[in-house]
Amino acid sequence: MMELNATHDAMRRSWLASANAPGTDFPIQNLPLGMFTLGTDATSMPPRPGVAIGAHVVDLCGLDDAGLLSGDAARAVRAVLPNDCGLNMMMALGNGVASALRAQLSDLLREGGPQGLRERAQTLLHAQADVHMHLPCRIDNYTDFLTSHAHTARHGRFKGLADPVPPVFHSLPVAYHGRASSIRVSGTGVRRPNGQWKAADGSIVFGAVEAMDFELELAAVIGSGTALAEPIALDQAADHIFGYVLLNDWSAKSVQWWEQMLGPFLGKSFMSSISPWIVTAEALAPFARPAPARRPEAPPLLPYLESHQDQAFGGMNITLESWLSTAKMRTAGKGPTRLVSTPLSNLSWTFGQMLAHHTSNGCNLCTGDLLGSGTVSGESEDERACLTEITSAGREPLRLPDGDERYWLKDGDEVTLKARAGSPGRIPIGFGACAGEVLPALPYPLPKG
Ligand code: MN
């Protein structure tokens, strides 16, 4: 378990008023890292590293240029290569270096701390409304797990399986290798894919996919990488997790169900969205909780997936939400409606177990790799974390406040994921938003001639 320090102190406040506003995702206890450019033009300058505080972003290179960082904190910022578009080189230095940066940032931003940043706030602080966020790191590999029992059981029942949750679910964290090239940052529209599926009348068709879904997930971002053929023990897993982001695993469910013999392929790979701010593992330390209880039907854990530390502190007190805004709602001036609210404790496996299992055969993890949790669904109706579960695979409509219905996402629908971590006596911290609007499919195959 990561030890708590002065940066976690619930009494610590910032001289920046917006960081102390109740309900902010980015109080001084959070300090998530991301890559930004100034202005709405993403190509105006090379993306630079920043830290979110209240409604602002601190320019880390500017902070270093002003001589306000020292030691490992300065090393962390200087490691970010210009034009490399990501925090990878900083993350590769390991969580100890990130911790040094966090300590100095917290000090510069706290009430009663050194004045250097406050005196230069005009040039070093930017309103979040004035910046464009980029992917926080280069992601070479993306693995998506399947760790919610409720999600697995509902899908098994929709498929008419006699045993909706296969025995392997209880023995190991199941996963598939996803597609890293099509991961985009929040705010990027998702193009409705074309694909092949089996229609209700049994015919095989190809076209714009109607069964378009979101999946509400959390994902771990790998910091320090691992060597090929070197398994990582469960109690060392945390050394390799830099932090976490929200993940929307957009899915073309009809395509997935038709093609899935070896696992998902085109039903998933058209695009996935992540939130721009990496909430560090250190920021989440106060929200550790026990790993989920084993289900009665589950066999005992094998030794490589069990440790005292992981059982006692491997979970996190995080609640995730999904919100929907349709084009019609926006035209009418209506705000988004919440579809899902679900605790991370609905997952049957911890991220430590996912990482230990992932490397148990010697497969190496690279800095920036993304490990998705799988859809964070629970038993109750509020906790159905994708439309497939909410509509019973397109059989029962979701009724929206304005009377509209949805079986699947329509063009113009915008899905926004959010999450907050909270524990008694602690200042809650949030993840920002992971948003994306469904754009109409492109004509394909293209007309001849
Ligand atoms: Mn998924």
Side-chain angles (χ1 to χ4, degrees), residues 370-442:
L370 205 64
L371 308 188
S373 63
T375 310
V376 188
S377 297
E379 296 296 335
S380 82
E381 296 213 334
D382 273 2
E383 298 173 351
R384 298 174 298 182
C386 62
L387 270 184
T388 302
E389 292 175 67
I390 294 170
T391 68
S392 294
R395 278 175 275 231
E396 305 187 18
L398 160 70
R399 285 181 213 290
L400 300 175
D402 63 2
D404 260 15
E405 292 182 345
R406 285 291 182 278
Y407 292 89
W408 304 106
L409 294 173
K410 291 194 168 168
D411 295 346
D413 286 357
E414 186 183 46
V415 176
T416 302
L417 312 184
K418 299 178 186 179
R420 280 170 79 77
S423 287
R426 294 290 166 190
I427 302 293
I429 64 173
F431 284 74
C434 177
E437 179 184 335
V438 180
L439 307 176
L442 297 176

Side-chain angles (χ1 to χ4, degrees), residues 132-418:
H132 180 94
M133 296 305 298
H134 297 253
L135 279 177
C137 58
R138 199 189 61 246
I139 301 168
D140 291 336
N141 300 281
Y142 159 43
T143 304
D144 201 18
F145 284 82
L146 174 77
T147 60
S148 154
H149 186 270
H151 177 75
T152 309
R154 287 200 188 94
H155 278 74
R157 287 198 292 271
F158 298 149
K159 285 188 223 156
L161 300 182
D163 188 3
V165 179
V168 67
F169 178 88
H170 303 291
S171 285
L172 56 85
V174 174
Y176 70 97
H177 284 301
R179 185 75 194 170
S181 68
S182 53
I183 295 174
R184 291 293 180 274
V185 74
S186 172
T188 310
V190 56
R191 182 68 63 186
R192 181 183 298 277
N194 290 293
Q196 183 191 122
W197 72 94
K198 187 178 181 181
D201 64 5
S203 60
I204 310 304
V205 296
F206 183 95
V209 175
E210 190 195 351
M212 177 79 168
D213 204 354
F214 68 89
E215 289 188 340
L216 171 55
E217 308 193 15
L218 193 70
V221 182
I222 299 301
S224 162
T226 74
L228 185 65
E230 186 184 292
I232 301 302
L234 182 51
D235 281 346
Q236 268 67 60
D239 298 345
H240 299 276
I241 297 179
F242 183 80
Y244 297 85
V245 293
L246 287 162
L247 167 66
N248 187 341
D249 179 22
W250 301 103
S251 303
K253 289 287 167 71
S254 53
V255 173
Q256 185 187 338
W257 293 332
W258 174 232
E259 74 183 358
Q260 192 161 304
M261 281 182 67
L262 272 175
F265 182 37
L266 303 185
K268 298 281 196 183
S269 62
F270 55 94
M271 194 175 124
S272 312
S273 300
I274 65 170
S275 51
W277 295 107
I278 303 180
V279 176
T280 63
E282 186 175 6
L284 288 163
F287 310 104
R289 58 170 285 139
R294 297 282 289 164
R295 300 180 67 87
E297 67 271 35
L301 285 167
L302 290 170
Y304 79 104
L305 292 173
E306 182 171 40
S307 82
H308 274 302
Q309 186 174 285
D310 188 64
Q311 286 298 301
F313 307 110
M316 292 185 282
N317 281 318
I318 296 175
T319 301
L320 302 100
E321 297 180 342
S322 178
W323 295 69
L324 174 67
S325 163
T326 68
K328 188 175 152 197
M329 287 160 72
R330 292 194 296 279
T331 304
K334 298 259 169 33
T337 185
R338 194 177 76 186
L339 302 183
V340 189
S341 175
T342 183
L344 192 73
S345 58
N346 276 324
L347 303 185
S348 293
W349 296 95
T350 67
F351 279 97
Q353 288 170 322
M354 294 179 219
L355 192 148
H357 183 67
H358 203 312
T359 61
S360 64
N361 70 343
C363 172
N364 56 318
L365 297 175
C366 304
T367 301
D369 282 3
L370 205 64
L371 308 188
S373 63
T375 310
V376 188
S377 297
E379 296 296 335
S380 82
E381 296 213 334
D382 273 2
E383 298 173 351
R384 298 174 298 182
C386 62
L387 270 184
T388 302
E389 292 175 67
I390 294 170
T391 68
S392 294
R395 278 175 275 231
E396 305 187 18
L398 160 70
R399 285 181 213 290
L400 300 175
D402 63 2
D404 260 15
E405 292 182 345
R406 285 291 182 278
Y407 292 89
W408 304 106
L409 294 173
K410 291 194 168 168
D411 295 346
D413 286 357
E414 186 183 46
V415 176
T416 302
L417 312 184
K418 299 178 186 179

